Amino acid sequence: MLILRCRFITINLAPLRPSHFQSHKLFHTTRFFRTPNLISTPRITSSSLPTTRSISDEARFARSVLFIPPGVEIEELTDDMVLPGSNIVIGPFAGHSQIKQVEFVKSSARARDCPKDDLPEIAILGRSNVGKSSLINCLVRKKEVALTSKKPGKTQLINHFLVNKSWYIVDLPGYGFAKVSDAAKTDWSAFTKGYFLNRDTLVCVLLLIDASVPPQKIDLDCANWLGRNNVPLTFVFTKCDKMKAAKGKRPDENIKAFQQIIRENFKQHPPWILTSSVSGLGRDELLLHMSQLRNYWDQ
């Protein structure tokens, strides 16, 4: 049994049942990045191995539960290669993760209006009031780089922030219960999907999941759509500092429930990480994960 630890939460991921290696109900993304010259990590199958060998239970477990980036062989995995509070393995492309400079570039109402300088982008998406702007401010360690508000749906455009003059953080409109007109919600959905489908510089989407509430169907539907359209994603659990819930289940229980749904529906486990914009939990680890995605994309 593999135990993934962080400062606040310990999640036990039991080995998956054999059926979980064979089927998935939501999606299975075989690509790490949206790039024409992608080199996929070789898939080990029983037919590709000598008849005298079989895939070990440990290898099956690792491949199905951990996010193993290019350049890492399953046989080389060690405990210290897995980021705390995540299922993310750090490989040779990780590095240069710290943010030294950030500046707002522009807001766009359509994907075709976004910057055209071909720099890699990591987009941040989630339900309204999930903490997108707070996470961005935490990552860059500057207050109000991204506008925060207690009113859900404050972000209504595609906002580009240039980081270290070499890549972008993209703040996307939230989905869900934003208090705007139905027409505006439809427009948001249309231009956000247009961004995903037509943005060649998109490296990955950070799909934020609120750990303070039980798993939401709308989040799973969003993940399903991204998967069907081969958009790489990482689940980022937010508000993990709120260990005592006013009502309902605690965040660690909600996270375990979400993990169970993922294990039942995904053939290979997407990367996920625990964060808190209040305590800074997971900040450095998430930046390191983002760095290996960008650096591999640049190859």
PDB file of all heavy atoms in Angstrom, residues 258-287:
ATOM      1  N   PHE A 258     -13.507  11.875  -3.439  1.00  0.00           N
ATOM      2  CA  PHE A 258     -13.170  12.240  -4.818  1.00  0.00           C
ATOM      3  C   PHE A 258     -12.154  11.258  -5.391  1.00  0.00           C
ATOM      4  O   PHE A 258     -12.259  10.833  -6.545  1.00  0.00           O
ATOM      5  CB  PHE A 258     -12.621  13.665  -4.854  1.00  0.00           C
ATOM      6  CG  PHE A 258     -12.610  14.277  -6.226  1.00  0.00           C
ATOM      7  CD1 PHE A 258     -13.676  15.048  -6.669  1.00  0.00           C
ATOM      8  CD2 PHE A 258     -11.533  14.088  -7.082  1.00  0.00           C
ATOM      9  CE1 PHE A 258     -13.674  15.614  -7.931  1.00  0.00           C
ATOM     10  CE2 PHE A 258     -11.524  14.644  -8.351  1.00  0.00           C
ATOM     11  CZ  PHE A 258     -12.594  15.410  -8.777  1.00  0.00           C
ATOM     12  N   GLN A 259     -11.163  10.878  -4.573  1.00  0.00           N
ATOM     13  CA  GLN A 259     -10.163   9.913  -5.023  1.00  0.00           C
ATOM     14  C   GLN A 259     -10.806   8.577  -5.375  1.00  0.00           C
ATOM     15  O   GLN A 259     -10.407   7.910  -6.334  1.00  0.00           O
ATOM     16  CB  GLN A 259      -9.104   9.704  -3.932  1.00  0.00           C
ATOM     17  CG  GLN A 259      -8.251  10.925  -3.634  1.00  0.00           C
ATOM     18  CD  GLN A 259      -7.377  11.317  -4.801  1.00  0.00           C
ATOM     19  OE1 GLN A 259      -7.256  10.579  -5.774  1.00  0.00           O
ATOM     20  NE2 GLN A 259      -6.766  12.480  -4.723  1.00  0.00           N
ATOM     21  N   GLN A 260     -11.806   8.186  -4.602  1.00  0.00           N
ATOM     22  CA  GLN A 260     -12.487   6.928  -4.882  1.00  0.00           C
ATOM     23  C   GLN A 260     -13.179   6.976  -6.234  1.00  0.00           C
ATOM     24  O   GLN A 260     -13.125   6.015  -7.016  1.00  0.00           O
ATOM     25  CB  GLN A 260     -13.509   6.628  -3.781  1.00  0.00           C
ATOM     26  CG  GLN A 260     -14.280   5.326  -3.981  1.00  0.00           C
ATOM     27  CD  GLN A 260     -13.369   4.114  -3.971  1.00  0.00           C
ATOM     28  OE1 GLN A 260     -12.392   4.076  -3.221  1.00  0.00           O
ATOM     29  NE2 GLN A 260     -13.671   3.131  -4.809  1.00  0.00           N
ATOM     30  N   ILE A 261     -13.818   8.097  -6.538  1.00  0.00           N
ATOM     31  CA  ILE A 261     -14.478   8.248  -7.838  1.00  0.00           C
ATOM     32  C   ILE A 261     -13.448   8.185  -8.958  1.00  0.00           C
ATOM     33  O   ILE A 261     -13.665   7.543  -9.992  1.00  0.00           O
ATOM     34  CB  ILE A 261     -15.254   9.579  -7.896  1.00  0.00           C
ATOM     35  CG1 ILE A 261     -16.395   9.567  -6.884  1.00  0.00           C
ATOM     36  CG2 ILE A 261     -15.795   9.827  -9.303  1.00  0.00           C
ATOM     37  CD1 ILE A 261     -17.117  10.890  -6.757  1.00  0.00           C
ATOM     38  N   ILE A 262     -12.319   8.837  -8.749  1.00  0.00           N
ATOM     39  CA  ILE A 262     -11.263   8.818  -9.763  1.00  0.00           C
ATOM     40  C   ILE A 262     -10.776   7.394  -9.990  1.00  0.00           C
ATOM     41  O   ILE A 262     -10.629   6.940 -11.128  1.00  0.00           O
ATOM     42  CB  ILE A 262     -10.087   9.724  -9.338  1.00  0.00           C
ATOM     43  CG1 ILE A 262     -10.521  11.194  -9.343  1.00  0.00           C
ATOM     44  CG2 ILE A 262      -8.889   9.529 -10.268  1.00  0.00           C
ATOM     45  CD1 ILE A 262      -9.456  12.140  -8.843  1.00  0.00           C
ATOM     46  N   ARG A 263     -10.536   6.655  -8.905  1.00  0.00           N
ATOM     47  CA  ARG A 263     -10.013   5.297  -9.040  1.00  0.00           C
ATOM     48  C   ARG A 263     -11.008   4.381  -9.738  1.00  0.00           C
ATOM     49  O   ARG A 263     -10.620   3.436 -10.424  1.00  0.00           O
ATOM     50  CB  ARG A 263      -9.657   4.730  -7.660  1.00  0.00           C
ATOM     51  CG  ARG A 263      -8.533   5.483  -6.963  1.00  0.00           C
ATOM     52  CD  ARG A 263      -7.809   4.595  -5.965  1.00  0.00           C
ATOM     53  NE  ARG A 263      -8.693   4.025  -4.970  1.00  0.00           N
ATOM     54  CZ  ARG A 263      -9.020   4.618  -3.827  1.00  0.00           C
ATOM     55  NH1 ARG A 263      -8.576   5.835  -3.575  1.00  0.00           N
ATOM     56  NH2 ARG A 263      -9.789   4.013  -2.954  1.00  0.00           N
ATOM     57  N   GLU A 264     -12.296   4.661  -9.565  1.00  0.00           N
ATOM     58  CA  GLU A 264     -13.319   3.819 -10.179  1.00  0.00           C
ATOM     59  C   GLU A 264     -13.554   4.161 -11.647  1.00  0.00           C
ATOM     60  O   GLU A 264     -14.080   3.344 -12.393  1.00  0.00           O
ATOM     61  CB  GLU A 264     -14.637   3.953  -9.411  1.00  0.00           C
ATOM     62  CG  GLU A 264     -14.604   3.339  -8.013  1.00  0.00           C
ATOM     63  CD  GLU A 264     -15.885   3.578  -7.255  1.00  0.00           C
ATOM     64  OE1 GLU A 264     -16.727   4.362  -7.756  1.00  0.00           O
ATOM     65  OE2 GLU A 264     -16.052   2.999  -6.164  1.00  0.00           O
ATOM     66  N   ASN A 265     -13.167   5.367 -12.057  1.00  0.00           N
ATOM     67  CA  ASN A 265     -13.537   5.829 -13.388  1.00  0.00           C
ATOM     68  C   ASN A 265     -12.371   6.098 -14.336  1.00  0.00           C
ATOM     69  O   ASN A 265     -12.594   6.293 -15.522  1.00  0.00           O
ATOM     70  CB  ASN A 265     -14.378   7.106 -13.278  1.00  0.00           C
ATOM     71  CG  ASN A 265     -15.735   6.855 -12.660  1.00  0.00           C
ATOM     72  OD1 ASN A 265     -16.608   6.267 -13.279  1.00  0.00           O
ATOM     73  ND2 ASN A 265     -15.914   7.278 -11.424  1.00  0.00           N
ATOM     74  N   PHE A 266     -11.158   6.119 -13.825  1.00  0.00           N
ATOM     75  CA  PHE A 266     -10.019   6.441 -14.667  1.00  0.00           C
ATOM     76  C   PHE A 266      -9.079   5.249 -14.781  1.00  0.00           C
ATOM     77  O   PHE A 266      -8.696   4.660 -13.770  1.00  0.00           O
ATOM     78  CB  PHE A 266      -9.238   7.629 -14.088  1.00  0.00           C
ATOM     79  CG  PHE A 266      -9.963   8.941 -14.181  1.00  0.00           C
ATOM     80  CD1 PHE A 266     -11.018   9.232 -13.335  1.00  0.00           C
ATOM     81  CD2 PHE A 266      -9.590   9.891 -15.113  1.00  0.00           C
ATOM     82  CE1 PHE A 266     -11.686  10.432 -13.409  1.00  0.00           C
ATOM     83  CE2 PHE A 266     -10.256  11.100 -15.197  1.00  0.00           C
ATOM     84  CZ  PHE A 266     -11.306  11.374 -14.347  1.00  0.00           C
ATOM     85  N   LYS A 267      -8.711   4.929 -15.990  1.00  0.00           N
ATOM     86  CA  LYS A 267      -7.773   3.828 -16.190  1.00  0.00           C
ATOM     87  C   LYS A 267      -6.405   4.206 -15.658  1.00  0.00           C
ATOM     88  O   LYS A 267      -5.730   3.397 -15.013  1.00  0.00           O
ATOM     89  CB  LYS A 267      -7.687   3.475 -17.677  1.00  0.00           C
ATOM     90  CG  LYS A 267      -6.791   2.279 -17.967  1.00  0.00           C
ATOM     91  CD  LYS A 267      -6.834   1.915 -19.437  1.00  0.00           C
ATOM     92  CE  LYS A 267      -5.967   0.694 -19.715  1.00  0.00           C
ATOM     93  NZ  LYS A 267      -6.018   0.324 -21.152  1.00  0.00           N
ATOM     94  N   GLN A 268      -5.966   5.418 -15.948  1.00  0.00           N
ATOM     95  CA  GLN A 268      -4.723   5.942 -15.402  1.00  0.00           C
ATOM     96  C   GLN A 268      -5.034   7.197 -14.605  1.00  0.00           C
ATOM     97  O   GLN A 268      -5.787   8.058 -15.053  1.00  0.00           O
ATOM     98  CB  GLN A 268      -3.709   6.247 -16.508  1.00  0.00           C
ATOM     99  CG  GLN A 268      -3.105   4.995 -17.129  1.00  0.00           C
ATOM    100  CD  GLN A 268      -2.005   5.338 -18.114  1.00  0.00           C
ATOM    101  OE1 GLN A 268      -2.161   6.221 -18.938  1.00  0.00           O
ATOM    102  NE2 GLN A 268      -0.898   4.631 -18.032  1.00  0.00           N
ATOM    103  N   HIS A 269      -4.457   7.293 -13.445  1.00  0.00           N
ATOM    104  CA  HIS A 269      -4.781   8.371 -12.520  1.00  0.00           C
ATOM    105  C   HIS A 269      -4.184   9.696 -12.999  1.00  0.00           C
ATOM    106  O   HIS A 269      -2.973   9.808 -13.152  1.00  0.00           O
ATOM    107  CB  HIS A 269      -4.216   8.035 -11.143  1.00  0.00           C
ATOM    108  CG  HIS A 269      -5.015   8.592 -10.016  1.00  0.00           C
ATOM    109  ND1 HIS A 269      -5.286   9.935  -9.901  1.00  0.00           N
ATOM    110  CD2 HIS A 269      -5.606   7.993  -8.961  1.00  0.00           C
ATOM    111  CE1 HIS A 269      -5.995  10.133  -8.806  1.00  0.00           C
ATOM    112  NE2 HIS A 269      -6.213   8.971  -8.218  1.00  0.00           N
ATOM    113  N   PRO A 270      -5.000  10.733 -13.235  1.00  0.00           N
ATOM    114  CA  PRO A 270      -4.436  12.044 -13.563  1.00  0.00           C
ATOM    115  C   PRO A 270      -3.641  12.578 -12.375  1.00  0.00           C
ATOM    116  O   PRO A 270      -3.876  12.183 -11.231  1.00  0.00           O
ATOM    117  CB  PRO A 270      -5.679  12.914 -13.826  1.00  0.00           C
ATOM    118  CG  PRO A 270      -6.790  11.947 -14.070  1.00  0.00           C
ATOM    119  CD  PRO A 270      -6.470  10.747 -13.240  1.00  0.00           C
ATOM    120  N   PRO A 271      -2.701  13.484 -12.612  1.00  0.00           N
ATOM    121  CA  PRO A 271      -1.980  14.077 -11.488  1.00  0.00           C
ATOM    122  C   PRO A 271      -2.913  14.875 -10.593  1.00  0.00           C
ATOM    123  O   PRO A 271      -3.863  15.495 -11.074  1.00  0.00           O
ATOM    124  CB  PRO A 271      -0.938  14.986 -12.167  1.00  0.00           C
ATOM    125  CG  PRO A 271      -1.447  15.196 -13.554  1.00  0.00           C
ATOM    126  CD  PRO A 271      -2.235  13.988 -13.915  1.00  0.00           C
ATOM    127  N   TRP A 272      -2.644  14.854  -9.281  1.00  0.00           N
ATOM    128  CA  TRP A 272      -3.423  15.649  -8.337  1.00  0.00           C
ATOM    129  C   TRP A 272      -2.513  16.115  -7.212  1.00  0.00           C
ATOM    130  O   TRP A 272      -1.477  15.508  -6.932  1.00  0.00           O
ATOM    131  CB  TRP A 272      -4.619  14.877  -7.773  1.00  0.00           C
ATOM    132  CG  TRP A 272      -4.294  13.604  -7.041  1.00  0.00           C
ATOM    133  CD1 TRP A 272      -4.306  12.335  -7.552  1.00  0.00           C
ATOM    134  CD2 TRP A 272      -3.904  13.467  -5.661  1.00  0.00           C
ATOM    135  NE1 TRP A 272      -3.950  11.419  -6.586  1.00  0.00           N
ATOM    136  CE2 TRP A 272      -3.697  12.088  -5.413  1.00  0.00           C
ATOM    137  CE3 TRP A 272      -3.711  14.371  -4.623  1.00  0.00           C
ATOM    138  CZ2 TRP A 272      -3.307  11.598  -4.167  1.00  0.00           C
ATOM    139  CZ3 TRP A 272      -3.318  13.884  -3.373  1.00  0.00           C
ATOM    140  CH2 TRP A 272      -3.131  12.513  -3.159  1.00  0.00           C
ATOM    141  N   ILE A 273      -2.918  17.217  -6.565  1.00  0.00           N
ATOM    142  CA  ILE A 273      -2.102  17.783  -5.496  1.00  0.00           C
ATOM    143  C   ILE A 273      -2.996  18.556  -4.531  1.00  0.00           C
ATOM    144  O   ILE A 273      -4.015  19.122  -4.931  1.00  0.00           O
ATOM    145  CB  ILE A 273      -0.995  18.693  -6.082  1.00  0.00           C
ATOM    146  CG1 ILE A 273      -0.013  19.119  -4.993  1.00  0.00           C
ATOM    147  CG2 ILE A 273      -1.591  19.888  -6.804  1.00  0.00           C
ATOM    148  CD1 ILE A 273       1.250  19.770  -5.551  1.00  0.00           C
ATOM    149  N   LEU A 274      -2.626  18.562  -3.252  1.00  0.00           N
ATOM    150  CA  LEU A 274      -3.359  19.284  -2.216  1.00  0.00           C
ATOM    151  C   LEU A 274      -2.747  20.669  -2.028  1.00  0.00           C
ATOM    152  O   LEU A 274      -1.527  20.809  -1.973  1.00  0.00           O
ATOM    153  CB  LEU A 274      -3.297  18.524  -0.891  1.00  0.00           C
ATOM    154  CG  LEU A 274      -3.635  17.032  -0.914  1.00  0.00           C
ATOM    155  CD1 LEU A 274      -3.532  16.456   0.492  1.00  0.00           C
ATOM    156  CD2 LEU A 274      -5.015  16.795  -1.494  1.00  0.00           C
ATOM    157  N   THR A 275      -3.605  21.698  -1.904  1.00  0.00           N
ATOM    158  CA  THR A 275      -3.104  23.059  -1.736  1.00  0.00           C
ATOM    159  C   THR A 275      -3.952  23.850  -0.751  1.00  0.00           C
ATOM    160  O   THR A 275      -5.082  23.484  -0.446  1.00  0.00           O
ATOM    161  CB  THR A 275      -3.095  23.833  -3.075  1.00  0.00           C
ATOM    162  OG1 THR A 275      -4.456  24.066  -3.496  1.00  0.00           O
ATOM    163  CG2 THR A 275      -2.340  23.084  -4.158  1.00  0.00           C
ATOM    164  N   SER A 276      -3.382  24.946  -0.287  1.00  0.00           N
ATOM    165  CA  SER A 276      -4.108  25.940   0.509  1.00  0.00           C
ATOM    166  C   SER A 276      -3.484  27.295   0.237  1.00  0.00           C
ATOM    167  O   SER A 276      -2.280  27.492   0.454  1.00  0.00           O
ATOM    168  CB  SER A 276      -4.031  25.624   2.002  1.00  0.00           C
ATOM    169  OG  SER A 276      -4.471  26.743   2.765  1.00  0.00           O
ATOM    170  N   SER A 277      -4.286  28.232  -0.239  1.00  0.00           N
ATOM    171  CA  SER A 277      -3.790  29.584  -0.480  1.00  0.00           C
ATOM    172  C   SER A 277      -3.555  30.328   0.826  1.00  0.00           C
ATOM    173  O   SER A 277      -2.805  31.303   0.862  1.00  0.00           O
ATOM    174  CB  SER A 277      -4.792  30.360  -1.346  1.00  0.00           C
ATOM    175  OG  SER A 277      -4.952  29.742  -2.600  1.00  0.00           O
ATOM    176  N   VAL A 278      -4.173  29.864   1.908  1.00  0.00           N
ATOM    177  CA  VAL A 278      -4.025  30.510   3.219  1.00  0.00           C
ATOM    178  C   VAL A 278      -2.702  30.119   3.870  1.00  0.00           C
ATOM    179  O   VAL A 278      -1.926  30.976   4.313  1.00  0.00           O
ATOM    180  CB  VAL A 278      -5.203  30.140   4.143  1.00  0.00           C
ATOM    181  CG1 VAL A 278      -4.985  30.712   5.546  1.00  0.00           C
ATOM    182  CG2 VAL A 278      -6.511  30.655   3.563  1.00  0.00           C
ATOM    183  N   SER A 279      -2.421  28.827   3.921  1.00  0.00           N
ATOM    184  CA  SER A 279      -1.213  28.347   4.591  1.00  0.00           C
ATOM    185  C   SER A 279      -0.021  28.184   3.654  1.00  0.00           C
ATOM    186  O   SER A 279       1.115  28.046   4.103  1.00  0.00           O
ATOM    187  CB  SER A 279      -1.501  27.005   5.267  1.00  0.00           C
ATOM    188  OG  SER A 279      -1.738  25.997   4.288  1.00  0.00           O
ATOM    189  N   GLY A 280      -0.276  28.189   2.344  1.00  0.00           N
ATOM    190  CA  GLY A 280       0.801  27.963   1.384  1.00  0.00           C
ATOM    191  C   GLY A 280       1.064  26.494   1.115  1.00  0.00           C
ATOM    192  O   GLY A 280       2.009  26.149   0.391  1.00  0.00           O
ATOM    193  N   LEU A 281       0.233  25.623   1.680  1.00  0.00           N
ATOM    194  CA  LEU A 281       0.382  24.187   1.458  1.00  0.00           C
ATOM    195  C   LEU A 281       0.396  23.867  -0.034  1.00  0.00           C
ATOM    196  O   LEU A 281      -0.477  24.303  -0.777  1.00  0.00           O
ATOM    197  CB  LEU A 281      -0.770  23.438   2.128  1.00  0.00           C
ATOM    198  CG  LEU A 281      -0.900  21.945   1.805  1.00  0.00           C
ATOM    199  CD1 LEU A 281       0.243  21.168   2.450  1.00  0.00           C
ATOM    200  CD2 LEU A 281      -2.248  21.407   2.279  1.00  0.00           C
ATOM    201  N   GLY A 282       1.390  23.116  -0.481  1.00  0.00           N
ATOM    202  CA  GLY A 282       1.451  22.638  -1.853  1.00  0.00           C
ATOM    203  C   GLY A 282       1.962  23.635  -2.873  1.00  0.00           C
ATOM    204  O   GLY A 282       2.108  23.289  -4.049  1.00  0.00           O
ATOM    205  N   ARG A 283       2.261  24.871  -2.448  1.00  0.00           N
ATOM    206  CA  ARG A 283       2.682  25.894  -3.413  1.00  0.00           C
ATOM    207  C   ARG A 283       3.947  25.487  -4.154  1.00  0.00           C
ATOM    208  O   ARG A 283       3.983  25.453  -5.389  1.00  0.00           O
ATOM    209  CB  ARG A 283       2.915  27.231  -2.710  1.00  0.00           C
ATOM    210  CG  ARG A 283       3.479  28.300  -3.647  1.00  0.00           C
ATOM    211  CD  ARG A 283       3.950  29.539  -2.908  1.00  0.00           C
ATOM    212  NE  ARG A 283       4.488  30.510  -3.840  1.00  0.00           N
ATOM    213  CZ  ARG A 283       5.765  30.547  -4.224  1.00  0.00           C
ATOM    214  NH1 ARG A 283       6.630  29.651  -3.743  1.00  0.00           N
ATOM    215  NH2 ARG A 283       6.180  31.458  -5.094  1.00  0.00           N
ATOM    216  N   ASP A 284       5.021  25.204  -3.417  1.00  0.00           N
ATOM    217  CA  ASP A 284       6.295  24.878  -4.053  1.00  0.00           C
ATOM    218  C   ASP A 284       6.199  23.591  -4.858  1.00  0.00           C
ATOM    219  O   ASP A 284       6.798  23.469  -5.932  1.00  0.00           O
ATOM    220  CB  ASP A 284       7.396  24.755  -2.999  1.00  0.00           C
ATOM    221  CG  ASP A 284       7.712  26.088  -2.329  1.00  0.00           C
ATOM    222  OD1 ASP A 284       7.349  27.137  -2.902  1.00  0.00           O
ATOM    223  OD2 ASP A 284       8.307  26.079  -1.237  1.00  0.00           O
ATOM    224  N   GLU A 285       5.447  22.628  -4.341  1.00  0.00           N
ATOM    225  CA  GLU A 285       5.291  21.355  -5.048  1.00  0.00           C
ATOM    226  C   GLU A 285       4.546  21.547  -6.366  1.00  0.00           C
ATOM    227  O   GLU A 285       4.915  20.960  -7.394  1.00  0.00           O
ATOM    228  CB  GLU A 285       4.548  20.353  -4.162  1.00  0.00           C
ATOM    229  CG  GLU A 285       5.337  19.856  -2.957  1.00  0.00           C
ATOM    230  CD  GLU A 285       5.331  20.832  -1.788  1.00  0.00           C
ATOM    231  OE1 GLU A 285       4.655  21.882  -1.888  1.00  0.00           O
ATOM    232  OE2 GLU A 285       5.999  20.553  -0.776  1.00  0.00           O
ATOM    233  N   LEU A 286       3.499  22.376  -6.348  1.00  0.00           N
ATOM    234  CA  LEU A 286       2.743  22.628  -7.575  1.00  0.00           C
ATOM    235  C   LEU A 286       3.610  23.350  -8.601  1.00  0.00           C
ATOM    236  O   LEU A 286       3.573  23.027  -9.798  1.00  0.00           O
ATOM    237  CB  LEU A 286       1.494  23.447  -7.264  1.00  0.00           C
ATOM    238  CG  LEU A 286       0.598  23.806  -8.460  1.00  0.00           C
ATOM    239  CD1 LEU A 286       0.164  22.558  -9.222  1.00  0.00           C
ATOM    240  CD2 LEU A 286      -0.623  24.597  -7.998  1.00  0.00           C
ATOM    241  N   LEU A 287       4.397  24.318  -8.161  1.00  0.00           N
ATOM    242  CA  LEU A 287       5.283  25.032  -9.080  1.00  0.00           C
ATOM    243  C   LEU A 287       6.308  24.083  -9.702  1.00  0.00           C
ATOM    244  O   LEU A 287       6.648  24.208 -10.885  1.00  0.00           O
ATOM    245  CB  LEU A 287       5.998  26.172  -8.352  1.00  0.00           C
ATOM    246  CG  LEU A 287       5.151  27.403  -8.026  1.00  0.00           C
ATOM    247  CD1 LEU A 287       5.956  28.381  -7.174  1.00  0.00           C
ATOM    248  CD2 LEU A 287       4.669  28.089  -9.302  1.00  0.00           C
TER     249      LEU A 287
END
